[in-house]
């Protein structure tokens, strides 16, 4: 993984799953568990705070596959992109983010 971006590492891992699954891929749930999830209209502030808390660089932090920080509409777009790029069709968020994340789920489910 040395020299590869987190997105490249995720793409490699999902490619291994796709290859191993073969024709069964459509039957699988491809799950992602973004550990840092925050629905906010101030993503730069939240990302800077979270990155500083864990000692990670701010640059590109919100693009990391284990991060979902931003306004609900942006998170919907990011999850759709991840579904298309990585095949992720199931997302688990931390319990403290559940209520704030509900509009993202409603939008993705087409109930909003």
């Amino acid at each position: 993984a040395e020299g590869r971006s987190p997105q490249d590492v995720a793409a490699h891992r999902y490619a291994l799953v796709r290859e191993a699954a073969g024709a069964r891929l459509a039957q699988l749930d491809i799950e992602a568990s973004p550990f840092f999830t925050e629905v906010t209209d101030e993503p730069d502030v939240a990302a800077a705070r979270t990155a500083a808390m864990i000692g990670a660089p701010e640059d590109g932090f919100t693009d990391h596959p284990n991060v979902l920080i931003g306004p609900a509409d942006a998170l919907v777009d990011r999850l759709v992109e991840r579904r298309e790029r990585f095949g992720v069709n199931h997302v688990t968020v931390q319990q403290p983010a559940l209520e704030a994340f509900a509009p993202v789920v409603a939008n993705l489910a087409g109930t909003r």
Side-chain angles (χ1 to χ4, degrees), residues 34-60:
F35 190 75
F36 303 105
T37 304
E38 186 173 343
V39 179
T40 177
D41 289 329
E42 296 182 340
D44 293 339
V45 172
R49 180 185 67 247
T50 305
M53 178 181 68
I54 64 167
E58 278 183 54
D59 188 39

Side-chain angles (χ1 to χ4, degrees), residues 75-77 79-80 83 91 101 103-112:
L75 296 183
V76 168
D77 292 343
L79 288 169
V80 168
R83 179 175 55 212
V91 176
F101 203 74
V104 174
V105 174
N107 190 314
L108 289 169
T111 59
R112 183 173 189 198

Side-chain angles (χ1 to χ4, degrees), residues 45-111:
V45 172
R49 180 185 67 247
T50 305
M53 178 181 68
I54 64 167
E58 278 183 54
D59 188 39
F61 186 74
T62 57
D63 294 327
H64 193 286
N66 289 328
V67 176
L68 279 176
I69 295 176
D73 290 343
L75 296 183
V76 168
D77 292 343
R78 194 166 304 136
L79 288 169
V80 168
E81 186 271 329
R82 289 177 183 177
R83 179 175 55 212
E84 292 169 358
R85 181 172 182 196
F86 303 128
V88 173
N89 60 2
H90 183 93
V91 176
T92 303
V93 298
Q94 300 291 318
Q95 188 171 356
L98 288 179
E99 284 187 40
F101 203 74
V104 174
V105 174
N107 190 314
L108 289 169
T111 59

Side-chain angles (χ1 to χ4, degrees), residues 10-25:
H12 175 74
R13 288 178 180 169
Y14 289 118
L16 292 174
V17 170
R18 280 193 302 275
E19 183 180 317
R24 298 173 297 137
L25 184 63

